[in-house]
Amino acid sequence: TIFLEVVTVVWKIADSYGDEGLIKYYVGVAKTVTYSQNAINGADLKAMNDDVHINCTGQSNSIILENLKYIDDCGKKIEIRYPYVPGLNSGEAEGIASFLKTLKNVTRVKVLPYHNFANSKYDSLGMTSNLPENLPTKEELENAEKFFGDLIK
């Protein structure tokens, strides 16, 4: 997983500094493990359909899903954010909810309404925005939230 790759790289860097680097490495790992034992892990899940996810982000969702399963298998609490964008990923709530029901440690789901605040940034830079113009309605958000049941808080 990505975590093991990061640990390996940090280990190599720490090792290059000799004993002092290795001591700092162990202290850092100990603090990270202690903190992460009680931390709630959060993740944005934009789509279950990989094609939709690639359209939204340019990347596959496979690593995100793999990491969520791993975090869940470790018994860690997970909070999911579903950024809801009308016409882009608005049909993904049911699939996301179905996936989350397979996990044991999801504590909360937040459906985040899309906003177009970035449009002004594009304008100020003289750039054309490809962002959707339509904001979600209250009804659309409530319909999406229904799929998540008690996890909406």
Short mmCIF file of all heavy atoms in Angstrom, two decimals, residues 102-140:
data_model
loop_
_atom_site.label_atom_id
_atom_site.label_comp_id
_atom_site.label_asym_id
_atom_site.label_seq_id
_atom_site.Cartn_x
_atom_site.Cartn_y
_atom_site.Cartn_z
N THR A 102 -20.49 -2.21 3.21
CA THR A 102 -19.61 -3.37 3.34
C THR A 102 -18.49 -3.12 4.35
O THR A 102 -17.79 -4.04 4.73
CB THR A 102 -18.97 -3.76 1.99
OG1 THR A 102 -18.04 -2.75 1.58
CG2 THR A 102 -20.03 -3.98 0.92
N LEU A 103 -18.34 -1.86 4.77
CA LEU A 103 -17.31 -1.50 5.74
C LEU A 103 -17.92 -1.44 7.14
O LEU A 103 -19.08 -1.09 7.30
CB LEU A 103 -16.69 -0.14 5.37
CG LEU A 103 -16.13 -0.02 3.95
CD1 LEU A 103 -15.60 1.39 3.71
CD2 LEU A 103 -15.05 -1.05 3.69
N LYS A 104 -17.11 -1.78 8.14
CA LYS A 104 -17.62 -1.86 9.51
C LYS A 104 -17.39 -0.59 10.33
O LYS A 104 -17.99 -0.41 11.37
CB LYS A 104 -16.94 -3.04 10.23
CG LYS A 104 -17.18 -4.39 9.59
CD LYS A 104 -16.42 -5.50 10.29
CE LYS A 104 -14.95 -5.50 10.08
NZ LYS A 104 -14.38 -5.84 8.81
N ASN A 105 -16.49 0.27 9.87
CA ASN A 105 -16.05 1.37 10.73
C ASN A 105 -16.34 2.77 10.19
O ASN A 105 -15.71 3.73 10.61
CB ASN A 105 -14.54 1.22 10.98
CG ASN A 105 -14.25 -0.04 11.77
OD1 ASN A 105 -14.67 -0.16 12.91
ND2 ASN A 105 -13.57 -0.98 11.15
N VAL A 106 -17.30 2.88 9.29
CA VAL A 106 -17.70 4.20 8.80
C VAL A 106 -18.57 4.84 9.87
O VAL A 106 -19.59 4.30 10.27
CB VAL A 106 -18.46 4.11 7.46
CG1 VAL A 106 -18.95 5.48 7.02
CG2 VAL A 106 -17.58 3.49 6.39
N THR A 107 -18.12 6.00 10.36
CA THR A 107 -18.83 6.66 11.46
C THR A 107 -19.76 7.76 10.98
O THR A 107 -20.68 8.15 11.69
CB THR A 107 -17.83 7.27 12.46
OG1 THR A 107 -17.01 8.21 11.77
CG2 THR A 107 -16.98 6.19 13.10
N ARG A 108 -19.47 8.27 9.77
CA ARG A 108 -20.24 9.42 9.31
C ARG A 108 -20.05 9.61 7.81
O ARG A 108 -18.99 9.33 7.28
CB ARG A 108 -19.76 10.66 10.04
CG ARG A 108 -20.47 11.93 9.70
CD ARG A 108 -19.92 13.06 10.55
NE ARG A 108 -20.63 14.29 10.28
CZ ARG A 108 -20.44 15.41 10.90
NH1 ARG A 108 -19.54 15.50 11.84
NH2 ARG A 108 -21.13 16.48 10.59
N VAL A 109 -21.09 10.10 7.16
CA VAL A 109 -21.01 10.50 5.76
C VAL A 109 -21.53 11.93 5.66
O VAL A 109 -22.58 12.25 6.21
CB VAL A 109 -21.85 9.58 4.84
CG1 VAL A 109 -21.85 10.09 3.41
CG2 VAL A 109 -21.34 8.15 4.90
N LYS A 110 -20.78 12.76 4.97
CA LYS A 110 -21.21 14.13 4.72
C LYS A 110 -21.40 14.29 3.21
O LYS A 110 -20.49 14.02 2.44
CB LYS A 110 -20.15 15.14 5.16
CG LYS A 110 -19.92 15.24 6.63
CD LYS A 110 -18.85 16.29 6.91
CE LYS A 110 -18.54 16.40 8.37
NZ LYS A 110 -17.45 17.38 8.60
N VAL A 111 -22.59 14.70 2.81
CA VAL A 111 -22.83 15.04 1.41
C VAL A 111 -22.53 16.53 1.28
O VAL A 111 -23.22 17.36 1.87
CB VAL A 111 -24.28 14.71 0.97
CG1 VAL A 111 -24.50 15.14 -0.46
CG2 VAL A 111 -24.56 13.21 1.15
N LEU A 112 -21.48 16.84 0.55
CA LEU A 112 -21.03 18.23 0.42
C LEU A 112 -21.58 18.82 -0.87
O LEU A 112 -21.30 18.32 -1.95
CB LEU A 112 -19.50 18.29 0.40
CG LEU A 112 -18.78 17.66 1.59
CD1 LEU A 112 -17.28 17.71 1.38
CD2 LEU A 112 -19.17 18.36 2.88
N PRO A 113 -22.33 19.90 -0.76
CA PRO A 113 -22.87 20.51 -1.98
C PRO A 113 -21.77 21.21 -2.78
O PRO A 113 -20.94 21.91 -2.22
CB PRO A 113 -23.89 21.52 -1.45
CG PRO A 113 -23.46 21.81 -0.05
CD PRO A 113 -22.76 20.58 0.45
N TYR A 114 -21.80 20.98 -4.06
CA TYR A 114 -20.87 21.67 -4.96
C TYR A 114 -21.10 23.17 -4.89
O TYR A 114 -22.23 23.64 -4.75
CB TYR A 114 -21.09 21.18 -6.39
CG TYR A 114 -20.44 22.04 -7.44
CD1 TYR A 114 -19.06 22.01 -7.63
CD2 TYR A 114 -21.19 22.90 -8.24
CE1 TYR A 114 -18.45 22.80 -8.58
CE2 TYR A 114 -20.58 23.70 -9.20
CZ TYR A 114 -19.21 23.65 -9.37
OH TYR A 114 -18.62 24.43 -10.31
N HIS A 115 -20.02 23.93 -4.95
CA HIS A 115 -20.12 25.39 -5.04
C HIS A 115 -19.23 25.82 -6.20
O HIS A 115 -18.32 25.11 -6.60
CB HIS A 115 -19.69 26.06 -3.74
CG HIS A 115 -18.29 25.74 -3.34
ND1 HIS A 115 -17.19 26.31 -3.94
CD2 HIS A 115 -17.81 24.88 -2.41
CE1 HIS A 115 -16.09 25.83 -3.40
NE2 HIS A 115 -16.43 24.95 -2.47
N ASN A 116 -19.50 26.97 -6.74
CA ASN A 116 -18.72 27.45 -7.88
C ASN A 116 -17.84 28.64 -7.51
O ASN A 116 -17.61 29.52 -8.32
CB ASN A 116 -19.64 27.77 -9.07
CG ASN A 116 -20.72 28.76 -8.72
OD1 ASN A 116 -20.74 29.31 -7.63
ND2 ASN A 116 -21.65 28.98 -9.63
N PHE A 117 -17.30 28.63 -6.30
CA PHE A 117 -16.45 29.72 -5.84
C PHE A 117 -15.21 29.89 -6.71
O PHE A 117 -14.68 30.99 -6.84
CB PHE A 117 -16.01 29.51 -4.39
CG PHE A 117 -17.13 29.47 -3.39
CD1 PHE A 117 -16.98 28.78 -2.21
CD2 PHE A 117 -18.33 30.11 -3.63
CE1 PHE A 117 -18.00 28.73 -1.27
CE2 PHE A 117 -19.36 30.07 -2.70
CZ PHE A 117 -19.19 29.37 -1.52
N ALA A 118 -14.73 28.81 -7.29
CA ALA A 118 -13.50 28.87 -8.09
C ALA A 118 -13.69 29.65 -9.39
O ALA A 118 -12.70 30.09 -9.98
CB ALA A 118 -12.99 27.48 -8.39
N ASN A 119 -14.93 29.83 -9.83
CA ASN A 119 -15.15 30.56 -11.08
C ASN A 119 -14.55 31.96 -11.04
O ASN A 119 -14.00 32.43 -12.03
CB ASN A 119 -16.64 30.62 -11.42
CG ASN A 119 -17.15 29.30 -11.97
OD1 ASN A 119 -16.37 28.48 -12.45
ND2 ASN A 119 -18.45 29.09 -11.90
N SER A 120 -14.65 32.62 -9.89
CA SER A 120 -14.09 33.97 -9.79
C SER A 120 -12.56 33.94 -9.90
O SER A 120 -11.95 34.87 -10.43
CB SER A 120 -14.52 34.64 -8.48
OG SER A 120 -14.03 33.91 -7.37
N LYS A 121 -11.95 32.86 -9.42
CA LYS A 121 -10.49 32.73 -9.54
C LYS A 121 -10.11 32.58 -11.01
O LYS A 121 -9.14 33.17 -11.47
CB LYS A 121 -9.99 31.54 -8.73
CG LYS A 121 -10.12 31.73 -7.24
CD LYS A 121 -9.66 30.51 -6.49
CE LYS A 121 -9.93 30.68 -5.00
NZ LYS A 121 -9.60 29.48 -4.26
N TYR A 122 -10.87 31.76 -11.73
CA TYR A 122 -10.60 31.60 -13.16
C TYR A 122 -10.73 32.95 -13.87
O TYR A 122 -9.88 33.32 -14.68
CB TYR A 122 -11.58 30.60 -13.79
CG TYR A 122 -11.20 29.16 -13.61
CD1 TYR A 122 -11.66 28.43 -12.52
CD2 TYR A 122 -10.38 28.52 -14.53
CE1 TYR A 122 -11.31 27.11 -12.35
CE2 TYR A 122 -10.03 27.19 -14.37
CZ TYR A 122 -10.50 26.49 -13.27
OH TYR A 122 -10.15 25.17 -13.12
N ASP A 123 -11.80 33.68 -13.55
CA ASP A 123 -12.03 35.00 -14.16
C ASP A 123 -10.86 35.95 -13.89
O ASP A 123 -10.38 36.65 -14.79
CB ASP A 123 -13.33 35.62 -13.66
CG ASP A 123 -14.57 34.89 -14.15
OD1 ASP A 123 -14.46 34.13 -15.14
OD2 ASP A 123 -15.64 35.07 -13.53
N SER A 124 -10.41 35.98 -12.64
CA SER A 124 -9.33 36.90 -12.28
C SER A 124 -8.01 36.56 -12.97
O SER A 124 -7.17 37.42 -13.15
CB SER A 124 -9.14 36.94 -10.76
OG SER A 124 -8.60 35.72 -10.30
N LEU A 125 -7.86 35.29 -13.35
CA LEU A 125 -6.64 34.86 -14.05
C LEU A 125 -6.81 34.90 -15.57
O LEU A 125 -5.90 34.52 -16.30
CB LEU A 125 -6.25 33.45 -13.60
CG LEU A 125 -5.85 33.32 -12.14
CD1 LEU A 125 -5.72 31.83 -11.75
CD2 LEU A 125 -4.55 34.05 -11.87
N GLY A 126 -7.99 35.33 -16.02
CA GLY A 126 -8.25 35.39 -17.45
C GLY A 126 -8.38 34.01 -18.09
O GLY A 126 -8.12 33.85 -19.28
N MET A 127 -8.79 33.04 -17.28
CA MET A 127 -8.91 31.66 -17.77
C MET A 127 -10.38 31.30 -17.92
O MET A 127 -11.24 31.87 -17.26
CB MET A 127 -8.24 30.69 -16.79
CG MET A 127 -6.76 30.93 -16.61
SD MET A 127 -6.04 29.94 -15.26
CE MET A 127 -6.28 28.29 -15.88
N THR A 128 -10.63 30.33 -18.79
CA THR A 128 -11.99 29.83 -18.97
C THR A 128 -12.21 28.65 -18.04
O THR A 128 -11.41 27.72 -18.01
CB THR A 128 -12.21 29.36 -20.43
OG1 THR A 128 -11.93 30.46 -21.29
CG2 THR A 128 -13.62 28.88 -20.64
N SER A 129 -13.28 28.69 -17.29
CA SER A 129 -13.61 27.62 -16.35
C SER A 129 -14.41 26.53 -17.06
O SER A 129 -15.30 26.81 -17.85
CB SER A 129 -14.45 28.17 -15.19
OG SER A 129 -14.98 27.12 -14.42
N ASN A 130 -14.06 25.30 -16.77
CA ASN A 130 -14.82 24.15 -17.27
C ASN A 130 -15.72 23.58 -16.18
O ASN A 130 -16.28 22.50 -16.33
CB ASN A 130 -13.88 23.05 -17.76
CG ASN A 130 -13.08 23.49 -18.97
OD1 ASN A 130 -13.58 24.24 -19.80
ND2 ASN A 130 -11.85 23.03 -19.07
N LEU A 131 -15.82 24.30 -15.07
CA LEU A 131 -16.60 23.82 -13.94
C LEU A 131 -18.09 23.96 -14.23
O LEU A 131 -18.51 24.87 -14.93
CB LEU A 131 -16.25 24.63 -12.68
CG LEU A 131 -14.80 24.54 -12.24
CD1 LEU A 131 -14.54 25.52 -11.11
CD2 LEU A 131 -14.45 23.12 -11.81
N PRO A 132 -18.89 23.03 -13.67
CA PRO A 132 -20.33 23.12 -13.86
C PRO A 132 -20.90 24.43 -13.31
O PRO A 132 -20.39 24.97 -12.33
CB PRO A 132 -20.88 21.94 -13.06
CG PRO A 132 -19.74 21.02 -12.86
CD PRO A 132 -18.51 21.88 -12.86
N GLU A 133 -21.94 24.92 -13.95
CA GLU A 133 -22.57 26.17 -13.52
C GLU A 133 -23.66 25.91 -12.48
O GLU A 133 -23.91 26.73 -11.61
CB GLU A 133 -23.18 26.89 -14.72
CG GLU A 133 -22.14 27.46 -15.68
CD GLU A 133 -21.31 28.57 -15.07
OE1 GLU A 133 -21.85 29.37 -14.28
OE2 GLU A 133 -20.12 28.64 -15.39
N ASN A 134 -24.35 24.76 -12.61
CA ASN A 134 -25.51 24.48 -11.76
C ASN A 134 -25.10 24.05 -10.36
O ASN A 134 -24.28 23.15 -10.20
CB ASN A 134 -26.39 23.39 -12.38
CG ASN A 134 -26.97 23.83 -13.69
OD1 ASN A 134 -27.18 25.01 -13.93
ND2 ASN A 134 -27.24 22.88 -14.57
N LEU A 135 -25.71 24.68 -9.37
CA LEU A 135 -25.52 24.28 -7.99
C LEU A 135 -26.60 23.27 -7.62
O LEU A 135 -27.70 23.30 -8.18
CB LEU A 135 -25.60 25.50 -7.08
CG LEU A 135 -24.58 26.61 -7.35
CD1 LEU A 135 -24.82 27.78 -6.41
CD2 LEU A 135 -23.17 26.08 -7.22
N PRO A 136 -26.33 22.38 -6.67
CA PRO A 136 -27.36 21.42 -6.27
C PRO A 136 -28.50 22.09 -5.52
O PRO A 136 -28.28 23.04 -4.75
CB PRO A 136 -26.61 20.44 -5.37
CG PRO A 136 -25.43 21.18 -4.89
CD PRO A 136 -25.08 22.19 -5.94
N THR A 137 -29.70 21.56 -5.72
CA THR A 137 -30.84 22.06 -4.97
C THR A 137 -30.91 21.35 -3.63
O THR A 137 -30.29 20.28 -3.45
CB THR A 137 -32.16 21.81 -5.74
OG1 THR A 137 -32.36 20.38 -5.83
CG2 THR A 137 -32.12 22.44 -7.13
N LYS A 138 -31.66 21.90 -2.73
CA LYS A 138 -31.84 21.28 -1.42
C LYS A 138 -32.46 19.88 -1.59
O LYS A 138 -32.07 18.92 -0.93
CB LYS A 138 -32.74 22.16 -0.54
CG LYS A 138 -32.96 21.62 0.85
CD LYS A 138 -33.80 22.57 1.68
CE LYS A 138 -34.04 21.95 3.05
NZ LYS A 138 -34.88 22.78 3.90
N GLU A 139 -33.41 19.76 -2.51
CA GLU A 139 -34.07 18.48 -2.77
C GLU A 139 -33.07 17.43 -3.29
O GLU A 139 -33.10 16.27 -2.87
CB GLU A 139 -35.20 18.67 -3.78
CG GLU A 139 -35.98 17.40 -4.07
CD GLU A 139 -37.10 17.62 -5.08
OE1 GLU A 139 -37.58 18.76 -5.22
OE2 GLU A 139 -37.48 16.63 -5.72
N GLU A 140 -32.18 17.84 -4.20
CA GLU A 140 -31.17 16.91 -4.71
C GLU A 140 -30.27 16.39 -3.59
O GLU A 140 -29.98 15.19 -3.52
CB GLU A 140 -30.30 17.59 -5.77
CG GLU A 140 -30.98 17.81 -7.10
CD GLU A 140 -30.10 18.58 -8.06
OE1 GLU A 140 -29.54 19.64 -7.67
OE2 GLU A 140 -29.99 18.11 -9.21
#
